[in-house]
């Protein structure tokens, strides 16, 4: 059949192209055919594209970074040897140089919130944003740096039964870990989380100071308990944020249900609610703005009615800086807006300058309000 | 991480930073997917191919140098994988005679030109996805060549807001295509 014949011929030409054996004319033929191909995009494509990137990210994490998964996977890449050949030709020119450059570099962690020269006259210097970093202290007292992100599933086994691991995230750091039960915890700057070498058969207990976002794995037989500065948060499996930088601890619930306990008082909250415990041990429940309370976990500063003191505290924690002349900005004014936590400090201060009508300078690790 | 341009992002990826890698996936998934899907009608296969592109980028990260942006590398990898898919997964090549018809041109077109043409189409769809104010301000300024002042009165917003939105829009495109 003629159609079949020309299809086979076309395939032979494409194979030649992948092998790098085409004449310049044939190459033009293939390229024009390839870039002229234009099937109309399907309508349902939009639907398919929602969540595409995160779906791909999850698959990649499984395929590339998960240790427990067997390596046998569908990989069409290795199926065709001419493909490999073609790519090798394409990259061989630079490979040697890159190899030399990167094989000798020892992997020291990036400096967090480093001081760098300012790009404009307004500031004496600038400060880069914080980054993913944590220190883990084993029950034996050994310290490990967790600079490589996605070191997720942490080793919880140890011969030191009954003792705890401590994850310590400094100022200007943030980190995500996965505990042995599959619970995911995102840790904000200036945060400590301790967890046992193994969870007990009847409960999963951890302790927190600072701020963390939890996605607790469901296990009806083992409640998950967080001790945060004297407040206990008890759940079976759910998602929520805990802010425990101070003795007043706020729990904002994203989904599921959570029980908050403090000195004999207890209360159950629903999604969209926030429970705040106080020094006098009572628990206040308010409706809460989840976008605001969980913004840090999405790499954002998000202010909606925050006063300057609160804003400066969040910035100080992420850029490891101190504010001077704080008292010159009244506590009664509140501000709205969002800024990426990946911005340089100067960019954040420029926006704050617009909002407050004040001038800011950075000198070393100090922010001066003029 | 979102503020980093491709070169900075890629340096981090070469230092095994998996957060940087996942930001790269966020940055390129949609546009690459559309590029693939226009040629591979099956969405499942398109998604598999997309995944393979990132897998090979991760494996090859120390062997790649980039100048300004990763997109030439990513789109060319996509091309190889799509052609491979065409050979192996398609029983019959549709419109094969089009591929076999030889091109007679005074001077050959470079692949970069062909790719740039296609990207222009994809960028237009990208502008479509911007938030409304950003989109209007940006298209009035770049496509209709209107002044900031005119745009401000047209959209009934302040001139400063127009400026902010246009620079945000440029930043948006720069991050995706730089």
């Amino acid at each position: 059949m003629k159609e079949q014949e020309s299809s086979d011929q076309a395939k032979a030409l494409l194979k030649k192209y992948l092998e790098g054996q085409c004449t310049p004319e044939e190459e033009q033929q293939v390229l024009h055919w390839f870039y002229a191909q234009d099937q109309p995009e399907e309508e349902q494509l939009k639907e398919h594209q929602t969540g595409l990137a995160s779906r791909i990210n999850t698959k990649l994490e499984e395929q590339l970074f998960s240790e427990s998964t067997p390596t046998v996977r569908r990989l069409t890449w290795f199926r065709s040897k001419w493909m490999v050949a073609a790519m090798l030709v394409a990259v061989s020119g630079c490979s040697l140089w890159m190899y030399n450059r990167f094989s000798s570099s020892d992997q020291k962690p990036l400096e967090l919130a480093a001081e760098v020269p300012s790009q404009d006259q307004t500031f004496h210097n600038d400060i880069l944003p914080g980054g993913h970093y944590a220190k883990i202290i084993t029950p034996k007292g050994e310290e490990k740096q967790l600079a490589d992100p996605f070191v997720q599933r942490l080793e919880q086994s140890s011969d030191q039964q009954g003792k705890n691991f401590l994850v310590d995230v400094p100022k200007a750091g943030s980190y995500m870990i996965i505990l042995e039960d599959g619970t995911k915890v995102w840790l904000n700057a200036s945060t400590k989380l301790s967890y046992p070498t193994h969870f007990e058969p009847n409960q999963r207990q951890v302790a927190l100071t600072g701020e963390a976002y939890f996605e607790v794995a469901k296990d009806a037989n083992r409640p998950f308990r967080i001790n945060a500065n004297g407040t206990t948060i008890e759940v079976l499996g759910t998602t929520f944020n805990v802010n425990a930088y101070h003795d007043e601890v706020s729990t904002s619930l994203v989904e599921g249900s959570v029980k908050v306990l403090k000195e004999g008082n207890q209360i159950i909250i629903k999604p969209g609610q926030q429970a705040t415990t106080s020094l006098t041990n009572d628990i206040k429940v308010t409706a809460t703005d989840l976008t605001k309370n969980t913004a840090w976990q999405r790499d954002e500063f998000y202010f909606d009615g925050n006063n300057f003191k609160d804003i400066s505290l969040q910035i100080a924690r992420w850029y490891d800086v101190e504010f001077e002349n704080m008292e010159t900005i009244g506590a009664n004014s509140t501000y709205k807006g969002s800024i990426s936590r990946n911005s340089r400090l100067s960019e954040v201060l420029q926006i704050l300058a617009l909002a407050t009508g004040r001038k800011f300078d950075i000198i070393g690790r100090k922010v001066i309000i003029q | 991480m979102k503020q980093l341009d491709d070169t900075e992002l890629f340096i981090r990826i070469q230092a095994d930073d998996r957060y940087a890698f996942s930001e790269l996936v966020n940055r390129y998934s949609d546009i690459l997917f559309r590029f693939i899907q226009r040629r591979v009608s099956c969405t499942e296969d398109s998604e598999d191919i997309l995944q393979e592109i990132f897998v090979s980028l991760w494996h090859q990260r120390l062997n790649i140098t980039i100048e300004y942006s990763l997109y030439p590398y990513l789109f060319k990898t996509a091309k190889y994988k799509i052609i491979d898919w065409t050979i192996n997964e398609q029983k019959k090549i549709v419109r094969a005679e089009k591929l076999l018809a030889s091109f007679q041109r005074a001077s050959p077109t470079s692949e970069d030109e062909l790719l740039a043409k296609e990207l222009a189409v994809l960028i237009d769809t990208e502008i479509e996805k911007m938030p409304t104010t950003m989109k209007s301000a940006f298209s009035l300024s770049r496509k209709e060549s209107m002044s900031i002042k005119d745009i401000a009165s047209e959209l009934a917003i302040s001139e400063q807001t127009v400026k902010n939105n246009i620079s945000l829009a440029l930043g948006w495109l720069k991050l995706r295509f730089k």
Side-chain angles (χ1 to χ4, degrees):
Chain A
M1 207 177 140
K2 193 166 178 282
E3 235 177 275
Q4 188 62 52
E5 230 171 72
S6 57
S7 172
D8 288 346
Q9 247 181 314
K11 279 192 180 182
L13 177 60
L14 291 179
K15 275 184 193 166
K16 237 170 124 183
Y17 179 79
L18 288 183
E19 287 161 355
Q21 303 293 326
C22 278
T23 64
E25 289 77 26
E26 286 171 329
E27 212 177 282
Q28 283 283 307
Q29 242 171 278
V30 172
L31 287 176
H32 274 97
W33 167 80
F34 183 81
Y35 285 99
Q37 273 193 336
D38 219 358
Q39 294 168 4
E41 291 182 16
E42 287 168 39
E43 260 312 299
Q44 80 256 32
L45 195 61
K46 264 209 180 121
E47 231 169 82
H48 194 82
Q49 265 187 279
T50 41
L52 174 70
S54 68
R55 208 158 54 234
I56 295 288
N57 259 321
T58 313
K59 285 192 201 164
L60 287 168
E61 203 184 302
E62 268 174 30
Q63 182 175 350
L64 293 171
F65 309 130
S66 147
E67 285 154 27
S68 53
T69 346
T71 47
V72 191
R73 285 192 167 260
R74 187 186 157 210
L75 252 188
T76 41
W77 175 254
F78 297 108
R79 191 175 57 197
S80 55
K81 54 181 186 295
W82 50 83
M83 172 90 82
V84 176
M87 289 309 295
L88 283 179
V89 170
V91 299
S92 63
C94 52
S95 61
L96 190 66
W97 178 80
M98 291 307 280
Y99 178 78
N100 285 336
R101 182 170 162 202
F102 281 96
S103 57
S104 57
S105 74
D106 46 346
Q107 309 247 331
K108 70 171 183 226
L110 295 163
E111 192 189 345
L112 297 170
E115 276 181 55
V116 294
S118 176
Q119 289 168 334
D120 69 49
Q121 304 286 321
T122 326
F123 304 99
H124 276 80
N125 60 281
D126 206 346
I127 292 182
L128 297 178
H132 299 288
Y133 177 82
K135 205 164 63 182
I136 184 163
I137 297 140
T138 68
K140 284 181 185 161
E142 292 160 347
E143 268 188 26
K144 283 184 214 159
Q145 319 275 324
L146 302 179
D148 183 9
F150 283 121
V151 178
Q152 295 189 339
R153 239 166 242 280
L154 292 180
E155 196 60 51
Q156 257 174 279
S157 62
S158 162
D159 44 11
Q160 310 250 323
Q161 274 297 333
K163 293 202 175 165
N164 285 328
F165 285 92
L166 178 71
V167 182
D168 184 349
V169 181
K171 276 188 175 177
S174 75
Y175 208 75
M176 181 207 168
I177 59 170
I178 298 184
L179 299 172
E180 68 172 1
D181 64 332
T183 292
K184 295 177 183 167
V185 191
W186 285 260
L187 303 162
N188 202 351
S190 283
T191 296
K192 290 187 173 72
L193 179 82
S194 88
Y195 55 92
T197 48
H198 276 301
F199 285 130
E200 294 162 46
N202 56 350
Q203 68 163 354
R204 297 168 283 170
Q205 173 115 35
V206 300
L208 171 79
T209 60
E211 183 166 31
Y213 182 91
F214 289 88
E215 254 180 49
V216 172
K218 288 204 170 45
D219 186 344
N221 299 319
R222 285 193 302 171
F224 193 96
R225 289 197 179 90
I226 301 158
N227 186 334
N229 297 343
T231 296
T232 304
I233 299 139
E234 189 181 298
V235 303
L236 296 175
T238 167
T239 305
F240 54 97
N241 190 70
V242 179
N243 184 317
Y245 283 116
H246 315 286
D247 290 323
E248 296 184 345
V249 174
S250 305
T251 308
S252 313
L253 186 58
V254 177
E255 61 174 53
S257 94
V258 155
K259 194 196 278 177
V260 177
L261 307 94
K262 175 108 194 240
E263 302 288 336
N265 290 330
Q266 66 172 61
I267 205 152
I268 292 175
I269 55 171
K270 292 190 199 113
Q273 288 186 326
Q274 169 173 303
T276 308
T277 57
S278 70
L279 277 176
T280 53
N281 299 333
D282 48 303
I283 306 171
K284 198 172 71 190
V285 177
T286 49
T288 187
D289 180 358
L290 290 174
T291 326
K292 174 175 157 184
N293 292 337
T294 61
W296 69 270
Q297 191 254 345
R298 300 186 308 272
D299 272 354
E300 251 183 358
F301 293 111
Y302 187 97
F303 306 117
D304 187 6
N306 300 61
N307 64 25
F308 193 78
K309 189 181 169 206
D310 186 26
I311 293 174
S312 68
L313 272 176
Q314 294 192 33
I315 292 170
R317 231 178 258 138
W318 186 236
Y319 293 93
D320 192 9
V321 291
E322 282 172 33
F323 278 74
E324 284 201 352
N325 311 339
M326 270 296 295
E327 63 286 352
T328 63
I329 294 186
N332 293 329
S333 311
T334 58
Y335 303 94
K336 279 187 174 193
S338 71
I339 314 169
S340 163
R341 298 220 309 176
N342 295 311
S343 314
R344 288 168 167 239
L345 179 56
S346 63
E347 296 171 290
V348 177
L349 293 179
Q350 272 160 356
I351 293 171
L352 280 181
L354 279 176
T356 58
R358 306 294 294 269
K359 278 197 168 146
F360 295 88
D361 191 8
I362 311 166
I363 302 179
R365 304 209 78 90
K366 284 199 164 42
V367 175
I368 318 287
I369 305 169
Q370 288 163 345
Chain B
M1 200 77 79
K2 287 186 185 115
Q3 306 283 320
L4 298 175
D5 69 27
D6 274 13
T7 0
E8 295 165 320
L9 198 63
F10 193 60
I11 287 172
R12 295 202 184 186
I13 291 173
Q14 289 181 318
D16 291 349
D17 183 336
R18 296 181 206 167
Y19 279 108
F21 183 57
S22 100
E23 167 57 22
L24 179 95
V25 173
N26 290 337
R27 199 172 283 184
Y28 278 104
S29 279
D30 281 3
I31 197 163
L32 272 171
F33 182 76
R34 295 213 310 276
F35 181 85
I36 300 164
Q37 209 275 330
R38 286 154 83 108
R39 300 173 167 85
V40 174
S41 39
C42 167
T43 45
E44 280 74 28
D45 283 1
S46 299
E47 210 168 305
D48 281 352
I49 290 175
L50 179 62
Q51 189 182 345
E52 287 169 26
I53 293 169
F54 290 119
V55 168
S56 74
L57 176 89
W58 180 260
H59 288 316
Q60 296 290 330
R61 66 193 182 283
L62 297 185
N63 300 327
I64 303 166
T65 37
I66 65 166
E67 277 184 42
Y68 306 106
S69 144
L70 272 164
Y71 81 78
Y73 174 83
L74 289 170
F75 284 97
K76 280 173 194 171
T77 309
K79 177 188 66 183
Y80 286 117
K81 288 188 185 295
I82 292 165
I83 293 181
D84 185 58
W85 176 89
T86 311
I87 296 172
N88 290 300
E89 303 292 329
Q90 286 209 299
K91 281 208 185 79
K92 226 187 289 173
I93 296 185
V94 207
R95 286 175 295 164
E97 60 299 335
K98 224 179 149 189
L99 170 56
L100 296 170
S102 57
F103 264 87
Q104 301 297 333
R105 292 221 175 185
S107 58
T109 333
S110 79
E111 176 167 13
D112 288 341
E113 246 172 84
L114 292 166
L115 181 55
K117 250 195 208 158
E118 170 141 358
L119 279 176
V121 177
L122 293 174
I123 284 171
D124 273 345
T125 359
E126 204 59 49
I127 293 175
E128 280 307 307
K129 292 197 320 205
M130 287 179 180
T132 326
T133 318
M134 198 198 279
K135 182 170 75 187
S136 325
F138 185 76
S139 351
L140 289 175
S141 145
R142 299 296 132 140
K143 294 199 156 169
E144 316 291 334
S145 311
M146 273 169 80
S147 72
I148 303 275
K149 205 175 157 198
D150 293 341
I151 298 173
S153 66
E154 172 84 26
L155 298 178
I157 51 180
S158 78
E159 291 184 29
Q160 189 55 46
T161 312
V162 175
K163 282 187 203 159
N164 291 348
N165 271 292
I166 291 176
S167 68
L168 276 175
L170 284 174
W172 171 300
L173 289 178
K174 200 167 78 185
L175 285 178
R176 277 158 183 264
F177 300 108
K178 196 176 165 186

